[in-house]
Short mmCIF file of all heavy atoms in Angstrom, two decimals:
data_model
loop_
_atom_site.label_atom_id
_atom_site.label_comp_id
_atom_site.label_asym_id
_atom_site.label_seq_id
_atom_site.Cartn_x
_atom_site.Cartn_y
_atom_site.Cartn_z
N MET W 213 -27.43 10.66 -21.52
CA MET W 213 -26.34 11.57 -21.27
C MET W 213 -25.06 10.80 -20.99
O MET W 213 -25.04 9.91 -20.18
CB MET W 213 -26.64 12.46 -20.07
CG MET W 213 -27.75 13.47 -20.33
SD MET W 213 -28.05 14.43 -18.82
CE MET W 213 -26.92 15.74 -19.12
N ASN W 214 -24.04 11.16 -21.66
CA ASN W 214 -22.77 10.50 -21.48
C ASN W 214 -21.79 11.50 -20.86
O ASN W 214 -21.19 12.29 -21.52
CB ASN W 214 -22.23 10.01 -22.83
CG ASN W 214 -21.00 9.14 -22.68
OD1 ASN W 214 -20.63 8.82 -21.55
ND2 ASN W 214 -20.38 8.81 -23.78
N MET W 215 -21.70 11.42 -19.52
CA MET W 215 -20.85 12.38 -18.80
C MET W 215 -19.43 11.77 -18.69
O MET W 215 -19.28 10.61 -18.30
CB MET W 215 -21.37 12.66 -17.42
CG MET W 215 -22.72 13.37 -17.45
SD MET W 215 -23.13 13.94 -15.84
CE MET W 215 -22.43 15.56 -15.92
N HIS W 216 -18.48 12.55 -19.08
CA HIS W 216 -17.10 12.11 -19.00
C HIS W 216 -16.44 12.78 -17.82
O HIS W 216 -16.32 14.02 -17.78
CB HIS W 216 -16.38 12.47 -20.31
CG HIS W 216 -14.97 12.00 -20.38
ND1 HIS W 216 -14.64 10.68 -20.29
CD2 HIS W 216 -13.79 12.67 -20.51
CE1 HIS W 216 -13.30 10.56 -20.36
NE2 HIS W 216 -12.79 11.76 -20.46
N HIS W 217 -15.99 11.98 -16.86
CA HIS W 217 -15.37 12.52 -15.67
C HIS W 217 -13.93 12.05 -15.58
O HIS W 217 -13.69 10.84 -15.47
CB HIS W 217 -16.16 12.10 -14.41
CG HIS W 217 -15.50 12.52 -13.13
ND1 HIS W 217 -15.46 13.80 -12.72
CD2 HIS W 217 -14.83 11.78 -12.18
CE1 HIS W 217 -14.84 13.87 -11.54
NE2 HIS W 217 -14.43 12.66 -11.22
N GLU W 218 -13.02 12.97 -15.61
CA GLU W 218 -11.62 12.61 -15.46
C GLU W 218 -11.28 12.79 -13.99
O GLU W 218 -11.67 13.79 -13.34
CB GLU W 218 -10.75 13.50 -16.34
CG GLU W 218 -10.87 13.20 -17.79
CD GLU W 218 -9.85 13.97 -18.61
OE1 GLU W 218 -8.81 14.33 -18.08
OE2 GLU W 218 -10.14 14.20 -19.78
N MET W 219 -10.53 11.84 -13.50
CA MET W 219 -10.11 11.90 -12.08
C MET W 219 -8.98 12.92 -11.90
O MET W 219 -8.09 13.00 -12.74
CB MET W 219 -9.66 10.52 -11.60
CG MET W 219 -10.79 9.50 -11.54
SD MET W 219 -10.19 7.86 -11.06
CE MET W 219 -9.77 8.12 -9.33
N SER W 220 -9.05 13.67 -10.85
CA SER W 220 -7.98 14.60 -10.55
C SER W 220 -6.78 13.84 -10.01
O SER W 220 -6.87 12.65 -9.66
CB SER W 220 -8.48 15.61 -9.52
OG SER W 220 -8.61 14.99 -8.24
N HIS W 221 -5.66 14.52 -9.98
CA HIS W 221 -4.45 13.91 -9.42
C HIS W 221 -4.68 13.41 -8.00
O HIS W 221 -4.23 12.33 -7.63
CB HIS W 221 -3.30 14.92 -9.49
CG HIS W 221 -2.03 14.40 -8.83
ND1 HIS W 221 -1.26 13.43 -9.43
CD2 HIS W 221 -1.45 14.70 -7.67
CE1 HIS W 221 -0.23 13.17 -8.64
NE2 HIS W 221 -0.30 13.93 -7.58
N ASP W 222 -5.40 14.22 -7.23
CA ASP W 222 -5.68 13.86 -5.83
C ASP W 222 -6.57 12.61 -5.75
O ASP W 222 -6.30 11.73 -4.93
CB ASP W 222 -6.37 15.03 -5.13
CG ASP W 222 -6.39 14.88 -3.64
OD1 ASP W 222 -5.36 14.55 -3.09
OD2 ASP W 222 -7.45 15.15 -3.02
N GLU W 223 -7.57 12.50 -6.60
CA GLU W 223 -8.44 11.32 -6.60
C GLU W 223 -7.66 10.06 -7.02
O GLU W 223 -7.85 9.00 -6.45
CB GLU W 223 -9.60 11.52 -7.57
CG GLU W 223 -10.63 12.55 -7.09
CD GLU W 223 -11.67 12.91 -8.12
OE1 GLU W 223 -11.33 12.96 -9.34
OE2 GLU W 223 -12.81 13.11 -7.73
N ILE W 224 -6.79 10.23 -7.98
CA ILE W 224 -5.99 9.09 -8.46
C ILE W 224 -5.05 8.63 -7.31
O ILE W 224 -4.90 7.46 -7.01
CB ILE W 224 -5.17 9.47 -9.67
CG1 ILE W 224 -6.11 9.67 -10.88
CG2 ILE W 224 -4.12 8.40 -10.00
CD1 ILE W 224 -5.46 10.29 -12.08
N ALA W 225 -4.44 9.61 -6.62
CA ALA W 225 -3.52 9.29 -5.51
C ALA W 225 -4.27 8.59 -4.38
O ALA W 225 -3.79 7.63 -3.81
CB ALA W 225 -2.85 10.54 -5.01
N ARG W 226 -5.49 9.05 -4.08
CA ARG W 226 -6.30 8.43 -3.02
C ARG W 226 -6.70 7.01 -3.36
O ARG W 226 -6.67 6.12 -2.53
CB ARG W 226 -7.52 9.29 -2.67
CG ARG W 226 -7.19 10.56 -1.96
CD ARG W 226 -8.42 11.37 -1.56
NE ARG W 226 -8.08 12.70 -1.12
CZ ARG W 226 -7.59 13.01 0.07
NH1 ARG W 226 -7.40 12.02 0.94
NH2 ARG W 226 -7.31 14.24 0.38
N ALA W 227 -7.04 6.78 -4.62
CA ALA W 227 -7.42 5.45 -5.09
C ALA W 227 -6.20 4.52 -5.03
O ALA W 227 -6.30 3.37 -4.57
CB ALA W 227 -7.97 5.52 -6.52
N ARG W 228 -5.08 5.02 -5.42
CA ARG W 228 -3.82 4.24 -5.39
C ARG W 228 -3.45 3.95 -3.96
O ARG W 228 -3.03 2.84 -3.62
CB ARG W 228 -2.68 5.04 -6.06
CG ARG W 228 -1.37 4.37 -6.06
CD ARG W 228 -1.35 3.17 -7.01
NE ARG W 228 -0.05 2.56 -6.97
CZ ARG W 228 0.15 1.25 -6.87
NH1 ARG W 228 -0.84 0.44 -6.88
NH2 ARG W 228 1.36 0.78 -6.80
N LEU W 229 -3.65 4.93 -3.04
CA LEU W 229 -3.36 4.74 -1.65
C LEU W 229 -4.23 3.61 -1.06
O LEU W 229 -3.72 2.76 -0.32
CB LEU W 229 -3.60 6.03 -0.88
CG LEU W 229 -3.28 6.09 0.59
CD1 LEU W 229 -1.82 5.73 0.85
CD2 LEU W 229 -3.61 7.47 1.15
N GLU W 230 -5.51 3.62 -1.39
CA GLU W 230 -6.41 2.56 -0.88
C GLU W 230 -5.99 1.21 -1.42
O GLU W 230 -6.03 0.21 -0.66
CB GLU W 230 -7.85 2.89 -1.27
CG GLU W 230 -8.83 1.95 -0.66
CD GLU W 230 -8.76 1.85 0.86
OE1 GLU W 230 -8.50 2.85 1.53
OE2 GLU W 230 -8.93 0.72 1.38
N ALA W 231 -5.59 1.13 -2.66
CA ALA W 231 -5.11 -0.13 -3.23
C ALA W 231 -3.86 -0.63 -2.52
O ALA W 231 -3.73 -1.83 -2.24
CB ALA W 231 -4.87 0.03 -4.74
N LEU W 232 -2.92 0.27 -2.24
CA LEU W 232 -1.71 -0.09 -1.54
C LEU W 232 -2.01 -0.55 -0.13
O LEU W 232 -1.41 -1.54 0.36
CB LEU W 232 -0.72 1.07 -1.52
CG LEU W 232 -0.08 1.44 -2.82
CD1 LEU W 232 0.75 2.71 -2.69
CD2 LEU W 232 0.81 0.29 -3.33
N ARG W 233 -2.91 0.10 0.54
CA ARG W 233 -3.30 -0.30 1.91
C ARG W 233 -3.93 -1.69 1.92
O ARG W 233 -3.65 -2.50 2.78
CB ARG W 233 -4.27 0.71 2.53
CG ARG W 233 -3.60 2.00 2.93
CD ARG W 233 -4.60 2.96 3.52
NE ARG W 233 -3.95 4.15 4.04
CZ ARG W 233 -4.51 5.33 4.11
NH1 ARG W 233 -5.78 5.50 3.71
NH2 ARG W 233 -3.87 6.38 4.59
N CYS W 234 -4.74 -1.95 0.90
CA CYS W 234 -5.36 -3.29 0.78
C CYS W 234 -4.28 -4.36 0.55
O CYS W 234 -4.28 -5.42 1.19
CB CYS W 234 -6.37 -3.26 -0.36
SG CYS W 234 -7.28 -4.81 -0.54
N GLU W 235 -3.35 -4.06 -0.34
CA GLU W 235 -2.25 -4.99 -0.61
C GLU W 235 -1.38 -5.20 0.64
O GLU W 235 -0.97 -6.32 0.91
CB GLU W 235 -1.40 -4.42 -1.76
CG GLU W 235 -0.40 -5.39 -2.31
CD GLU W 235 0.35 -4.83 -3.51
OE1 GLU W 235 -0.09 -3.83 -4.11
OE2 GLU W 235 1.41 -5.42 -3.85
N HIS W 236 -1.19 -4.14 1.43
CA HIS W 236 -0.41 -4.20 2.63
C HIS W 236 -1.13 -5.16 3.64
O HIS W 236 -0.50 -6.01 4.28
CB HIS W 236 -0.24 -2.82 3.24
CG HIS W 236 0.69 -2.73 4.39
ND1 HIS W 236 0.30 -2.84 5.69
CD2 HIS W 236 2.03 -2.56 4.44
CE1 HIS W 236 1.31 -2.74 6.49
NE2 HIS W 236 2.41 -2.58 5.75
N ARG W 237 -2.43 -5.01 3.78
CA ARG W 237 -3.22 -5.87 4.69
C ARG W 237 -3.16 -7.32 4.24
O ARG W 237 -2.98 -8.23 5.05
CB ARG W 237 -4.68 -5.43 4.72
CG ARG W 237 -4.96 -4.26 5.63
CD ARG W 237 -6.46 -4.04 5.83
NE ARG W 237 -7.17 -3.81 4.58
CZ ARG W 237 -7.34 -2.62 4.05
NH1 ARG W 237 -6.86 -1.54 4.63
NH2 ARG W 237 -8.02 -2.49 2.90
N ASP W 238 -3.25 -7.56 2.91
CA ASP W 238 -3.16 -8.91 2.40
C ASP W 238 -1.80 -9.53 2.69
O ASP W 238 -1.72 -10.70 3.05
CB ASP W 238 -3.40 -8.91 0.87
CG ASP W 238 -4.85 -8.59 0.50
OD1 ASP W 238 -5.73 -8.63 1.39
OD2 ASP W 238 -5.10 -8.29 -0.69
N LEU W 239 -0.76 -8.73 2.54
CA LEU W 239 0.60 -9.23 2.84
C LEU W 239 0.70 -9.55 4.33
O LEU W 239 1.34 -10.56 4.70
CB LEU W 239 1.66 -8.23 2.45
CG LEU W 239 2.20 -8.33 1.05
CD1 LEU W 239 3.15 -7.18 0.75
CD2 LEU W 239 2.91 -9.62 0.83
N ASP W 240 0.14 -8.71 5.17
CA ASP W 240 0.17 -8.92 6.60
C ASP W 240 -0.50 -10.25 6.93
O ASP W 240 0.04 -11.03 7.75
CB ASP W 240 -0.53 -7.77 7.31
CG ASP W 240 -0.11 -7.63 8.76
OD1 ASP W 240 1.05 -7.94 9.10
OD2 ASP W 240 -0.96 -7.17 9.57
N GLU W 241 -1.64 -10.51 6.32
CA GLU W 241 -2.33 -11.79 6.55
C GLU W 241 -1.53 -12.98 6.06
O GLU W 241 -1.49 -14.03 6.67
CB GLU W 241 -3.70 -11.75 5.90
CG GLU W 241 -4.65 -10.78 6.60
CD GLU W 241 -5.96 -10.60 5.85
OE1 GLU W 241 -6.22 -11.32 4.84
OE2 GLU W 241 -6.74 -9.70 6.24
N ALA W 242 -0.88 -12.82 4.90
CA ALA W 242 -0.08 -13.92 4.32
C ALA W 242 1.12 -14.20 5.23
O ALA W 242 1.49 -15.35 5.46
CB ALA W 242 0.39 -13.53 2.91
N ILE W 243 1.75 -13.12 5.75
CA ILE W 243 2.90 -13.33 6.65
C ILE W 243 2.44 -14.05 7.90
O ILE W 243 3.12 -14.95 8.40
CB ILE W 243 3.53 -11.96 6.99
CG1 ILE W 243 4.26 -11.43 5.73
CG2 ILE W 243 4.47 -12.07 8.17
CD1 ILE W 243 4.71 -9.98 5.85
N ALA W 244 1.30 -13.64 8.48
CA ALA W 244 0.79 -14.27 9.69
C ALA W 244 0.49 -15.76 9.42
O ALA W 244 0.83 -16.63 10.25
CB ALA W 244 -0.45 -13.57 10.19
N ALA W 245 -0.12 -16.08 8.29
CA ALA W 245 -0.46 -17.45 7.97
C ALA W 245 0.79 -18.27 7.74
O ALA W 245 0.90 -19.43 8.23
CB ALA W 245 -1.33 -17.50 6.72
N LEU W 246 1.79 -17.70 7.08
CA LEU W 246 3.04 -18.41 6.82
C LEU W 246 3.82 -18.62 8.13
O LEU W 246 4.40 -19.68 8.32
CB LEU W 246 3.88 -17.62 5.83
CG LEU W 246 5.02 -18.34 5.13
CD1 LEU W 246 4.52 -19.54 4.37
CD2 LEU W 246 5.74 -17.39 4.17
N SER W 247 3.75 -17.62 9.02
CA SER W 247 4.46 -17.74 10.30
C SER W 247 3.86 -18.82 11.17
O SER W 247 4.54 -19.45 11.97
CB SER W 247 4.45 -16.40 11.02
OG SER W 247 5.14 -15.44 10.35
N ALA W 248 2.57 -19.06 11.01
CA ALA W 248 1.86 -20.04 11.82
C ALA W 248 2.16 -21.49 11.39
O ALA W 248 1.96 -22.40 12.17
CB ALA W 248 0.36 -19.80 11.76
N GLN W 249 2.66 -21.66 10.20
CA GLN W 249 2.99 -22.98 9.69
C GLN W 249 4.28 -23.49 10.29
O GLN W 249 5.20 -22.72 10.56
CB GLN W 249 3.11 -22.99 8.18
CG GLN W 249 1.81 -22.69 7.49
CD GLN W 249 1.96 -22.68 5.94
OE1 GLN W 249 3.08 -22.90 5.45
NE2 GLN W 249 0.89 -22.43 5.24
N GLN W 250 4.34 -24.81 10.49
CA GLN W 250 5.54 -25.40 11.09
C GLN W 250 6.72 -25.41 10.13
O GLN W 250 7.84 -25.08 10.52
CB GLN W 250 5.24 -26.85 11.50
CG GLN W 250 4.21 -26.96 12.60
CD GLN W 250 4.72 -26.38 13.94
OE1 GLN W 250 5.89 -26.42 14.21
NE2 GLN W 250 3.79 -25.85 14.73
N LEU W 251 6.49 -25.72 8.88
CA LEU W 251 7.57 -25.83 7.89
C LEU W 251 7.60 -24.58 7.02
O LEU W 251 7.39 -24.62 5.82
CB LEU W 251 7.37 -27.08 7.05
CG LEU W 251 7.37 -28.38 7.79
CD1 LEU W 251 7.00 -29.52 6.86
CD2 LEU W 251 8.71 -28.62 8.44
N THR W 252 7.89 -23.45 7.67
CA THR W 252 7.92 -22.18 6.95
C THR W 252 9.31 -21.93 6.37
O THR W 252 10.33 -22.08 7.08
CB THR W 252 7.52 -21.05 7.90
OG1 THR W 252 6.22 -21.29 8.40
CG2 THR W 252 7.54 -19.71 7.20
N SER W 253 9.33 -21.49 5.14
CA SER W 253 10.58 -21.08 4.53
C SER W 253 10.94 -19.66 5.02
O SER W 253 10.17 -18.75 4.78
CB SER W 253 10.46 -21.09 3.02
OG SER W 253 11.49 -20.38 2.45
N SER W 254 12.07 -19.54 5.70
CA SER W 254 12.45 -18.24 6.23
C SER W 254 12.72 -17.24 5.07
O SER W 254 12.49 -16.08 5.24
CB SER W 254 13.64 -18.35 7.13
OG SER W 254 14.79 -18.83 6.45
N LEU W 255 13.20 -17.76 3.95
CA LEU W 255 13.45 -16.92 2.80
C LEU W 255 12.14 -16.32 2.27
O LEU W 255 12.07 -15.13 1.97
CB LEU W 255 14.19 -17.69 1.73
CG LEU W 255 14.61 -16.88 0.48
CD1 LEU W 255 15.51 -15.72 0.86
CD2 LEU W 255 15.28 -17.79 -0.52
N ALA W 256 11.14 -17.15 2.14
CA ALA W 256 9.82 -16.70 1.67
C ALA W 256 9.26 -15.65 2.63
O ALA W 256 8.71 -14.65 2.18
CB ALA W 256 8.88 -17.85 1.48
N LEU W 257 9.43 -15.90 3.92
CA LEU W 257 8.93 -14.99 4.92
C LEU W 257 9.67 -13.67 4.85
O LEU W 257 9.05 -12.60 4.93
CB LEU W 257 9.06 -15.63 6.30
CG LEU W 257 8.26 -15.08 7.44
CD1 LEU W 257 6.78 -15.05 7.12
CD2 LEU W 257 8.50 -15.89 8.69
N GLN W 258 10.96 -13.71 4.68
CA GLN W 258 11.78 -12.50 4.57
C GLN W 258 11.34 -11.69 3.35
O GLN W 258 11.29 -10.46 3.41
CB GLN W 258 13.27 -12.83 4.46
CG GLN W 258 13.89 -13.24 5.78
CD GLN W 258 15.34 -13.64 5.57
OE1 GLN W 258 15.72 -14.26 4.56
NE2 GLN W 258 16.17 -13.33 6.58
N ARG W 259 11.09 -12.34 2.24
CA ARG W 259 10.68 -11.64 1.01
C ARG W 259 9.37 -10.96 1.20
O ARG W 259 9.18 -9.83 0.76
CB ARG W 259 10.62 -12.63 -0.14
CG ARG W 259 11.98 -13.04 -0.67
CD ARG W 259 11.87 -13.98 -1.84
NE ARG W 259 13.20 -14.33 -2.31
CZ ARG W 259 13.45 -15.36 -3.08
NH1 ARG W 259 12.45 -16.15 -3.49
NH2 ARG W 259 14.68 -15.63 -3.46
N LEU W 260 8.42 -11.62 1.86
CA LEU W 260 7.11 -11.03 2.10
C LEU W 260 7.24 -9.79 3.01
O LEU W 260 6.61 -8.79 2.79
CB LEU W 260 6.15 -12.05 2.71
CG LEU W 260 5.61 -13.11 1.79
CD1 LEU W 260 4.71 -14.08 2.55
CD2 LEU W 260 4.81 -12.49 0.64
N LYS W 261 8.07 -9.94 4.05
CA LYS W 261 8.26 -8.82 4.99
C LYS W 261 8.91 -7.63 4.25
O LYS W 261 8.56 -6.48 4.51
CB LYS W 261 9.07 -9.26 6.19
CG LYS W 261 8.31 -10.15 7.13
CD LYS W 261 9.15 -10.54 8.33
CE LYS W 261 8.33 -11.38 9.31
NZ LYS W 261 9.15 -11.75 10.50
N LYS W 262 9.87 -7.91 3.39
CA LYS W 262 10.57 -6.86 2.66
C LYS W 262 9.56 -6.14 1.71
O LYS W 262 9.49 -4.91 1.63
CB LYS W 262 11.71 -7.40 1.83
CG LYS W 262 12.50 -6.34 1.12
CD LYS W 262 13.71 -6.91 0.44
CE LYS W 262 14.49 -5.80 -0.24
NZ LYS W 262 15.72 -6.30 -0.89
N GLN W 263 8.71 -6.94 1.05
CA GLN W 263 7.70 -6.38 0.16
C GLN W 263 6.70 -5.52 0.96
O GLN W 263 6.30 -4.47 0.51
CB GLN W 263 6.97 -7.53 -0.52
CG GLN W 263 6.04 -7.10 -1.62
CD GLN W 263 5.41 -8.30 -2.36
OE1 GLN W 263 5.76 -9.46 -2.09
NE2 GLN W 263 4.48 -8.02 -3.24
N LYS W 264 6.37 -5.98 2.17
CA LYS W 264 5.46 -5.24 3.02
C LYS W 264 6.08 -3.88 3.44
O LYS W 264 5.40 -2.86 3.42
CB LYS W 264 5.12 -6.08 4.26
CG LYS W 264 4.08 -5.45 5.15
CD LYS W 264 3.80 -6.31 6.37
CE LYS W 264 3.03 -5.54 7.41
NZ LYS W 264 3.00 -6.23 8.68
N LEU W 265 7.36 -3.88 3.74
CA LEU W 265 8.05 -2.63 4.08
C LEU W 265 8.11 -1.67 2.93
O LEU W 265 7.92 -0.46 3.07
CB LEU W 265 9.48 -2.93 4.59
CG LEU W 265 9.57 -3.43 6.02
CD1 LEU W 265 11.03 -3.85 6.30
CD2 LEU W 265 9.10 -2.38 6.99
N LEU W 266 8.34 -2.21 1.72
CA LEU W 266 8.35 -1.36 0.53
C LEU W 266 6.97 -0.71 0.31
O LEU W 266 6.86 0.45 -0.05
CB LEU W 266 8.75 -2.14 -0.69
CG LEU W 266 10.22 -2.60 -0.73
CD1 LEU W 266 10.46 -3.54 -1.91
CD2 LEU W 266 11.16 -1.39 -0.82
N LEU W 267 5.93 -1.51 0.52
CA LEU W 267 4.59 -0.98 0.39
C LEU W 267 4.32 0.11 1.44
O LEU W 267 3.69 1.14 1.14
CB LEU W 267 3.53 -2.10 0.58
CG LEU W 267 3.22 -2.92 -0.65
CD1 LEU W 267 2.31 -4.07 -0.29
CD2 LEU W 267 2.60 -2.05 -1.71
N LYS W 268 4.78 -0.13 2.64
CA LYS W 268 4.62 0.85 3.73
C LYS W 268 5.29 2.19 3.33
O LYS W 268 4.71 3.28 3.55
CB LYS W 268 5.21 0.34 5.03
CG LYS W 268 4.97 1.22 6.22
CD LYS W 268 5.50 0.59 7.47
CE LYS W 268 5.23 1.48 8.66
NZ LYS W 268 5.75 0.91 9.91
N ASP W 269 6.46 2.11 2.72
CA ASP W 269 7.15 3.31 2.25
C ASP W 269 6.37 4.02 1.15
O ASP W 269 6.24 5.28 1.17
CB ASP W 269 8.55 2.99 1.74
CG ASP W 269 9.50 2.63 2.86
OD1 ASP W 269 9.23 2.88 4.03
OD2 ASP W 269 10.57 2.01 2.55
N LYS W 270 5.80 3.26 0.22
CA LYS W 270 4.99 3.84 -0.87
C LYS W 270 3.76 4.52 -0.27
O LYS W 270 3.37 5.60 -0.73
CB LYS W 270 4.58 2.76 -1.87
CG LYS W 270 5.67 2.27 -2.77
CD LYS W 270 5.14 1.22 -3.71
CE LYS W 270 6.23 0.66 -4.59
NZ LYS W 270 5.73 -0.36 -5.52
N ILE W 271 3.14 3.87 0.70
CA ILE W 271 1.94 4.44 1.36
C ILE W 271 2.31 5.74 2.02
O ILE W 271 1.61 6.75 1.89
CB ILE W 271 1.35 3.43 2.35
CG1 ILE W 271 0.71 2.25 1.63
CG2 ILE W 271 0.34 4.11 3.27
CD1 ILE W 271 0.33 1.09 2.51
N ALA W 272 3.42 5.78 2.75
CA ALA W 272 3.86 6.99 3.44
C ALA W 272 4.12 8.14 2.44
O ALA W 272 3.73 9.28 2.67
CB ALA W 272 5.09 6.71 4.28
N ARG W 273 4.76 7.80 1.35
CA ARG W 273 5.05 8.84 0.31
C ARG W 273 3.76 9.39 -0.30
O ARG W 273 3.63 10.61 -0.49
CB ARG W 273 5.94 8.27 -0.81
CG ARG W 273 7.42 8.42 -0.45
CD ARG W 273 8.30 7.98 -1.62
NE ARG W 273 8.74 6.64 -1.25
CZ ARG W 273 8.72 5.55 -2.02
NH1 ARG W 273 8.30 5.63 -3.24
NH2 ARG W 273 9.14 4.41 -1.58
N LEU W 274 2.81 8.50 -0.56
CA LEU W 274 1.54 8.96 -1.13
C LEU W 274 0.75 9.81 -0.11
O LEU W 274 0.16 10.78 -0.47
CB LEU W 274 0.69 7.76 -1.55
CG LEU W 274 0.68 7.40 -3.03
CD1 LEU W 274 -0.14 6.16 -3.26
CD2 LEU W 274 0.19 8.53 -3.87
N GLU W 275 0.79 9.37 1.15
CA GLU W 275 0.10 10.16 2.20
C GLU W 275 0.72 11.56 2.29
O GLU W 275 0.00 12.55 2.44
CB GLU W 275 0.17 9.45 3.53
CG GLU W 275 -0.76 8.24 3.64
CD GLU W 275 -0.58 7.43 4.91
OE1 GLU W 275 0.52 7.51 5.53
OE2 GLU W 275 -1.50 6.68 5.25
N ASP W 276 2.02 11.63 2.20
CA ASP W 276 2.71 12.94 2.25
C ASP W 276 2.31 13.77 1.03
O ASP W 276 2.19 15.00 1.12
CB ASP W 276 4.21 12.76 2.27
CG ASP W 276 4.71 12.29 3.66
OD1 ASP W 276 3.94 12.36 4.63
OD2 ASP W 276 5.89 11.87 3.72
N GLU W 277 2.17 13.14 -0.09
CA GLU W 277 1.80 13.85 -1.33
C GLU W 277 0.37 14.39 -1.24
O GLU W 277 0.11 15.51 -1.71
CB GLU W 277 1.90 12.87 -2.52
CG GLU W 277 1.67 13.50 -3.84
CD GLU W 277 1.81 12.48 -4.97
OE1 GLU W 277 2.76 11.66 -4.95
OE2 GLU W 277 0.96 12.47 -5.86
N ILE W 278 -0.50 13.64 -0.65
CA ILE W 278 -1.93 14.02 -0.54
C ILE W 278 -2.14 15.10 0.52
O ILE W 278 -2.87 16.03 0.32
CB ILE W 278 -2.81 12.78 -0.25
CG1 ILE W 278 -2.82 11.86 -1.44
CG2 ILE W 278 -4.22 13.21 0.11
CD1 ILE W 278 -3.50 10.52 -1.18
N THR W 279 -1.44 14.92 1.64
CA THR W 279 -1.61 15.85 2.78
C THR W 279 -0.81 17.13 2.50
O THR W 279 0.43 17.04 2.33
CB THR W 279 -1.11 15.20 4.09
OG1 THR W 279 -1.77 13.94 4.24
CG2 THR W 279 -1.43 16.09 5.26
N PRO W 280 -1.47 18.24 2.50
CA PRO W 280 -0.73 19.47 2.24
C PRO W 280 0.17 19.85 3.41
O PRO W 280 -0.10 19.54 4.58
CB PRO W 280 -1.84 20.53 2.10
CG PRO W 280 -3.03 19.95 2.79
CD PRO W 280 -2.85 18.45 2.73
N ASP W 281 1.29 20.48 3.10
CA ASP W 281 2.21 20.95 4.12
C ASP W 281 1.60 22.13 4.85
O ASP W 281 1.14 23.06 4.21
CB ASP W 281 3.55 21.35 3.53
CG ASP W 281 4.33 20.19 3.00
OD1 ASP W 281 4.11 19.06 3.49
OD2 ASP W 281 5.14 20.37 2.08
N ILE W 282 1.63 22.05 6.17
CA ILE W 282 1.11 23.16 6.97
C ILE W 282 2.28 23.75 7.76
O ILE W 282 2.95 23.07 8.48
CB ILE W 282 0.02 22.65 7.96
CG1 ILE W 282 -1.14 22.07 7.17
CG2 ILE W 282 -0.44 23.78 8.85
CD1 ILE W 282 -2.19 21.40 8.03
N ILE W 283 2.48 25.02 7.51
CA ILE W 283 3.57 25.72 8.20
C ILE W 283 3.06 26.11 9.59
O ILE W 283 2.05 26.85 9.72
CB ILE W 283 4.04 26.94 7.42
CG1 ILE W 283 4.53 26.52 6.06
CG2 ILE W 283 5.09 27.69 8.19
CD1 ILE W 283 4.87 27.66 5.13
N ALA W 284 3.74 25.61 10.58
CA ALA W 284 3.30 25.90 11.97
C ALA W 284 3.96 27.14 12.51
O ALA W 284 4.99 27.55 12.15
CB ALA W 284 3.61 24.71 12.88
#
């Protein structure tokens, strides 16, 4: 049997969210490792931190997209 399963928009968004979270954790570890070094390039560190912030924004947008609005 060859079952063809297409992912829903929600499943795709959740998979993308998990990938972004993983990338965010990796960046966090890279920033920590770079910060621990004596001869750290501040420019490289700034770029990693900026990239991490951009990922955080993407994660927040995806979480908002996945989570339904609830009228209180």
